[in-house]
């Protein structure tokens, strides 16, 4: 289970893209931002519910295993595109689930997964800078 | 050994906790203050804290000198900070997201490399016995103050003075407050920000050295419970003022010590609120 941060509906997207323009359009920016935060929190809460109900089956102190932080980064990796979030979440969940196998088969410490995830995040977020510079990174539409 | 101290136990424990628990807060928030004054936010300081703790412990274990461990932690921190600063200087790279990525990578690397060192014990930093005037063992142990605590307070005054009066401090503030003005003045914005991030992370690394070499004084995977992230919030609470960082770190250190000390005094409910 990985927390999924919603990137929001169109109006919220407008506010995130350009706050001044949204205010000129007459959108209630402050209220929409609060609504977006409420919805985001609700999604994260649902993730916690799934973690307790379906994965662990009980609630205890060792429950929070950094899903929240990984979830935030998954939203960044998906470039805030909701459709790209499930594959990304699946990938990260798979890497996390592979941790047990790595420990048993290769005798690596359990932090290997954390190192791998951190390296993936650092390199992908850093390659954001290549976007639009290399030929196969050309944006198909402007206005990102 | 001594009589019943009653409510004084709680107060003494809070005093001791304020001094001990606050030191990592103090160093990380001072480092983060420096970074944020230059216009960047480095959430990776949580990772630097854990990595610095590991580096200090390993260095202290192998050389037998805890001060070399502190130096190693500062060096490791500045390397991680410089990496964060460099990567965030590329265009379109988000410093918050990169900070969280560095947080994961830093803690992961620390656990990965530090795994063999969980068992052995490393030489610890010495402490100043400031409780020599008292006969009570509680007060004596409460006033065993680490020199790093005084170093942190001195550093806070130094930073406050440097921000206010020196040329370097003024330059840093220009870069942080108005990048346009800095560019107009021909200041090298990117190198200044990288240097500020590296220095800030070096301080966070020293905070980590305090964790593993003074209090709690061991290396394990539950060493830092989000103190690095909380210190980032403390900087905002302190209004980006180094002297405010001291006060806020002491406040949060005392609050952190309140829970365990209330437990020892017999309060059994609600202590986890702190």
């Amino acid at each position: 289970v990985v927390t999924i941060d919603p990137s929001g509906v169109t109006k919220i997207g407008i506010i995130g893209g350009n706050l001044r323009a949204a205010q000129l359009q007459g959108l209630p920016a402050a209220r929409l931002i609060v609504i977006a935060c409420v919805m985001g929190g609700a999604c994260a809460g649902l993730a916690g519910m799934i973690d307790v109900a379906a994965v662990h089956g009980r609630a205890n102190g060792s429950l929070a295993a950094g899903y929240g932080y990984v979830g935030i980064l998954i939203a960044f990796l998906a470039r805030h595109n909701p459709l790209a979030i499930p594959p990304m979440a699946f990938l990260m969940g798979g890497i996390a689930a592979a941790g047990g196998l790595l420990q048993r088969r290769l005798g690596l410490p359990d932090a290997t997964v954390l190192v791998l995830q951190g390296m993936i995040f650092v390199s992908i977020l850093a390659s954001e800078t290549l976007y639009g510079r290399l030929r196969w990174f050309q944006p198909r539409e402007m206005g990102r | 050994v001594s009589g019943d101290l009653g409510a004084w136990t709680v107060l003494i424990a809070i005093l001791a906790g304020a001094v001990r628990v606050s030191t990592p807060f103090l160093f990380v928030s001072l480092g983060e203050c420096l970074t944020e004054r230059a216009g960047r936010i480095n959430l990776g300081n949580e990772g630097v804290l854990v990595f610095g703790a590991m580096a200090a412990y390993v260095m202290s274990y192998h050389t037998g000198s805890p001060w070399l461990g502190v130096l190693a932690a500062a060096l490791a921190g500045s390397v991680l900070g410089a990496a964060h600063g460099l990567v965030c200087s590329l265009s379109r790279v988000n410093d918050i997201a990169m900070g969280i990525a560095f947080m994961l990578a830093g803690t992961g690397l620390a656990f990965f490399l530090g795994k063999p060192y969980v068992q052995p014990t490393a030489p610890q930093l010495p402490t100043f016995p400031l409780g020599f005037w008292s006969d009570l063992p509680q007060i004596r142990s409460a006033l065993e103050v680490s020199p790093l605590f005084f170093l942190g307070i001195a550093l806070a005054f130094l930073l406050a003075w440097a921000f206010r009066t020196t040329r370097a401090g003024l330059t840093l503030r220009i870069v942080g407050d108005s990048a346009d003005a800095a560019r107009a003045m021909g200041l090298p914005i990117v190198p200044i920000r990288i240097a500020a991030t590296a220095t800030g992370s070096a301080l966070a690394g020293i905070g980590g050295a305090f964790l593993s070499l003074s209090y709690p004084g061991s290396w394990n995977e539950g060493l830092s419970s989000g103190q690095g992230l909380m210190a980032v919030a403390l900087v905002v609470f302190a209004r980006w003022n180094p002297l405010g960082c001291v006060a806020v770190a002491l406040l949060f250190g005392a609050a952190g010590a309140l829970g365990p000390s209330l437990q020892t005094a017999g309060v059994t409910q609600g202590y986890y609120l702190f």
Side-chain angles (χ1 to χ4, degrees):
Chain A
V1 187
V2 174
T3 316
I4 294 170
D5 290 314
S7 77
V9 283
T10 322
K11 281 182 184 171
I12 296 174
I14 295 172
I15 290 175
N18 191 336
L19 184 62
R20 300 284 301 273
Q23 280 170 338
L24 282 176
Q25 285 285 323
L27 289 174
R31 193 189 304 166
L32 280 172
I33 289 174
V34 171
I35 290 174
C37 287
V38 168
M39 281 164 51
C43 285
L46 272 180
M49 183 274 281
I50 295 169
D51 201 24
V52 169
V55 181
H56 289 282
R58 66 178 76 87
N60 55 27
S62 65
L63 203 61
Y67 289 136
Y69 297 127
V70 177
I72 295 171
L73 287 181
I74 285 173
F76 273 100
L77 288 201
R79 306 185 56 85
H80 305 297
N81 179 354
L83 289 180
I85 283 179
M88 272 299 158
F90 197 71
L91 175 69
M92 286 303 149
I95 291 177
L101 199 65
L102 278 180
Q103 278 183 64
R104 272 198 306 274
R105 283 291 179 81
L106 301 177
L108 291 168
D110 52 351
T112 318
V113 172
L114 216 53
V115 177
L116 186 61
Q117 277 186 339
M119 293 296 164
I120 290 176
F121 283 132
V122 169
S123 38
I124 295 186
L125 289 172
S127 56
E128 193 93 332
T129 188
L130 300 174
Y131 196 73
R133 288 202 198 163
L134 299 178
R135 205 141 44 109
W136 56 88
F137 269 138
Q138 283 302 326
R140 240 172 291 156
E141 43 174 2
M142 291 309 289
R144 261 272 164 216
Chain B
V1 183
S2 69
D4 188 22
L5 287 167
W8 284 102
T9 350
V10 177
L11 278 178
I12 292 169
I14 290 174
L15 175 72
V19 172
R20 281 184 192 148
V21 183
S22 68
T23 309
F25 280 138
L26 182 59
F27 275 98
V28 182
S29 58
L30 284 178
E32 189 65 31
C33 183
L34 186 66
T35 310
E36 290 189 17
R37 278 289 185 98
R40 284 252 176 82
I41 294 177
N42 184 4
L43 286 179
N45 273 347
E46 167 75 20
V48 172
L49 186 75
V50 180
F51 196 82
M54 189 277 295
Y57 202 73
V58 170
M59 194 62 164
S60 172
Y61 175 70
H62 279 299
T63 63
S65 159
W67 289 107
L68 275 180
V70 174
L71 198 66
L75 274 179
S78 63
V79 168
L80 278 178
H84 179 277
L86 274 172
V87 171
C88 288
S89 304
L90 303 169
S91 66
R92 260 198 284 260
V93 174
N94 184 312
D95 57 346
I96 306 267
M98 192 49 84
I100 303 177
F102 264 82
M103 183 177 91
L104 292 177
T107 44
L109 270 179
F111 295 163
F112 187 84
L113 299 174
K115 195 84 186 172
Y117 297 93
V118 173
Q119 200 64 26
T121 49
Q124 301 286 305
L125 283 170
T127 52
F128 292 141
L130 291 187
F132 55 84
W133 45 270
S134 172
D135 294 331
L136 293 173
Q138 284 95 332
I139 292 182
R140 274 177 180 266
S141 74
L143 288 179
E144 293 268 317
V145 182
S146 169
L148 280 182
F149 178 71
F150 296 112
L151 183 67
I153 288 187
L155 207 63
F157 279 98
L158 181 72
L159 273 181
W161 171 77
F163 280 148
R164 206 174 321 120
T165 50
T166 64
R167 192 178 182 84
L170 189 64
T171 314
L172 193 83
R173 274 160 53 204
I174 295 172
V175 168
D177 288 345
S178 168
D180 287 336
R183 211 170 289 125
M185 288 175 68
L187 294 172
I189 297 178
V190 169
I192 288 175
R193 285 189 170 162
I194 294 175
T197 314
T199 318
S201 289
L203 294 184
I206 296 178
F210 178 87
L211 278 181
S212 66
L213 293 182
S214 187
Y215 182 82
S218 64
W219 161 246
N220 59 61
E221 303 200 345
L223 192 61
S224 156
S225 47
Q227 281 149 335
L229 277 174
M230 214 200 272
V232 178
L234 293 189
V235 176
V236 183
F237 188 29
R239 309 303 305 161
W240 295 275
N241 175 4
L243 297 180
C245 286
V246 177
V248 169
L250 281 172
L251 178 70
F252 272 68
L258 191 56
S261 62
L262 280 181
Q263 264 176 291
T264 55
V267 181
T268 51
Q269 282 189 332
Y271 52 82
Y272 42 78
L273 285 176
F274 305 101

